[in-house]
Amino acid sequence: MSLIFDIKRYAINDGPGIRITLFMKGCPLSCIWCHNPEGIRNGKDKLYTAKKCLGCGTCLKACPNGALTLAPEGIITDKQKCVLCGRCAEECPAMAIEISGTEYTPEYLMHEIEKEIPFMDQSGGGVTFCGGEPLLHPEFLIDILKRCGQQGIHRAVDTTLLARKETVDEVMRNCELLLIDLKSMDSTVHQTFCDVPNELILENIRRVAEADFPYYIRIPLIEGVNADEKNIKLSAEFLASLPRHPEIINLLPYHDIGKGKHAKLGSIYNPKGYKMQTPSEEVQQQCIQILTDYGLKATIGG
């Protein structure tokens, strides 16, 4: 079994065609701008939306461990007592409490995936495994990739590639496309903003290209982090040097949607206050031009 924190149907930005995207819990990176912070921890999380709360006390009565109290600012959870059983979320009439992370078997997920086959067939779509980081769960991931392959379903994996080389090889043997994140070419910058260096990631990107395997590159484009000319040129030089170029480079302009989710988790978005902004239209087009000049195909969004 594996923890899934979201299932997105009719997805059109996670590979070709109409897709079903499965979001797996756990990630070895902790990117400051992450728009799915509920997917970082390899375990269940509780999210609380104070503005939805009715203050009715239903969750207090439902909690078997007395972990909740009602304060003027809303529901307070004693994390020492809370076992994330989900009873409070089940009983909350306003859905102010959510549990992120549900255990699914491969059999159940295949049942959900198979529901989407008509849309996949009509659009040339398939299934995409996302996260978090799906390569953190290689046994589960490979199992369900093989099951999808037996059904002739197109398989894509959205990954940071921060994983053992053997895992990367096994995933390539059991899917048709990789969607690979490239945050920064500078390992120190990568460490600062993502909490890990980037050497293994770059090695694995080269490994994928040398295997002549189809892949997209996704660059979260952030003013103050990686949208500068130097980083984009280094990215272009690296990708252009590979024996197989990415099918497409998706430049994804920064947004702070993760801020609201951090509030629900009770954590702090960008705690050190780094200056991060959406690049201007001019900067975005400059980045596209640099990548194009290196013979690479790039677009905004996707």
Side-chain angles (χ1 to χ4, degrees):
M1 299 180 78
S2 184
L3 285 174
I4 304 294
F5 69 92
D6 195 12
I7 298 177
K8 181 182 177 183
R9 303 177 192 275
Y10 317 118
I12 58 173
N13 294 316
D14 298 324
I18 298 174
R19 312 185 69 80
I20 178 171
T21 302
L22 309 178
F23 293 79
M24 302 174 71
K25 284 275 281 176
C27 185
L29 279 65
S30 295
C31 301
I32 288 174
W33 57 82
C34 181
H35 60 273
N36 288 326
E38 74 275 30
I40 294 175
R41 201 173 72 88
N42 191 12
K44 294 183 179 182
D45 284 298
K46 180 186 288 186
L47 288 78
Y48 171 64
T49 307
K51 64 181 181 182
K52 286 186 177 181
C53 183
L54 303 175
C56 62
T58 301
C59 57
L60 278 66
K61 298 173 184 176
C63 180
N65 297 322
L68 306 179
T69 55
L70 180 59
E73 61 270 29
I75 296 297
I76 305 297
T77 299
D78 184 334
K79 295 183 178 180
Q80 298 299 316
K81 295 181 179 180
C82 178
V83 296
L84 295 168
C85 67
R87 291 287 301 280
C88 55
E90 292 171 5
E91 297 298 329
C92 178
M95 294 186 289
I97 300 175
E98 308 165 68
I99 298 296
S100 175
T102 302
E103 289 185 347
Y104 289 110
T105 63
E107 291 78 12
Y108 184 90
L109 284 180
M110 282 306 303
H111 176 68
E112 294 301 304
I113 292 168
E114 288 165 0
K115 293 178 183 177
E116 308 304 314
I117 287 178
F119 303 102
M120 299 175 191
D121 289 346
Q122 292 172 18
S123 67
V127 59
T128 299
F129 296 89
C130 189
E133 172 51 71
L135 271 62
L136 268 185
H137 314 280
E139 291 184 6
F140 183 89
L141 177 63
I142 297 301
D143 181 2
I144 196 160
L145 284 173
K146 288 181 177 179
R147 292 170 188 254
C148 290
Q150 291 166 2
Q151 298 263 19
I153 297 170
H154 183 276
R155 302 158 294 179
V157 178
D158 189 345
T159 174
T160 67
L161 280 190
L162 187 66
R164 296 171 63 247
K165 295 172 183 178
E166 295 80 5
T167 299
V168 175
D169 290 345
E170 185 69 9
V171 169
M172 282 194 287
R173 284 191 287 268
N174 289 282
C175 75
E176 286 71 50
L177 177 67
L178 292 177
L179 313 178
I180 304 170
D181 295 340
L182 180 58
K183 319 288 191 181
S184 173
M185 291 300 296
D186 186 305
S187 190
T188 300
V189 171
H190 203 278
Q191 175 87 52
T192 297
F193 289 98
C194 303
D195 208 32
V196 294
N198 70 356
E199 286 81 4
L200 180 57
I201 291 170
L202 297 181
E203 288 174 19
N204 279 331
I205 292 175
R206 182 171 293 278
R207 189 176 189 86
V208 169
E210 290 175 348
D212 198 28
F213 192 84
Y215 66 102
Y216 295 1
I217 289 290
R218 292 177 155 186
I219 301 177
L221 200 61
I222 307 170
E223 194 76 49
V225 178
N226 65 353
D228 55 283
E229 183 177 350
K230 179 182 178 181
N231 180 67
I232 298 302
K233 281 189 174 180
L234 287 173
S235 301
E237 289 173 3
F238 171 68
L239 294 170
S241 75
L242 301 177
R244 177 170 182 145
H245 292 176
E247 312 297 303
I248 187 74
I249 301 170
N250 297 125
L251 300 181
L252 310 174
Y254 168 73
H255 57 71
D256 64 358
I257 191 172
K259 186 181 294 185
K261 291 187 177 181
H262 272 285
K264 293 181 182 181
L265 287 165
S267 52
I268 300 173
Y269 180 81
N270 188 13
K272 293 186 178 180
Y274 290 111
K275 291 184 178 179
M276 300 186 294
Q277 294 181 336
T278 303
S280 67
E281 183 69 27
E282 180 182 3
V283 169
Q284 293 178 37
Q285 292 307 315
Q286 287 174 349
C287 293
I288 290 287
Q289 189 61 56
I290 291 170
L291 294 164
T292 302
D293 288 345
Y294 278 82
L296 300 165
K297 184 179 179 181
T299 186
I300 302 296

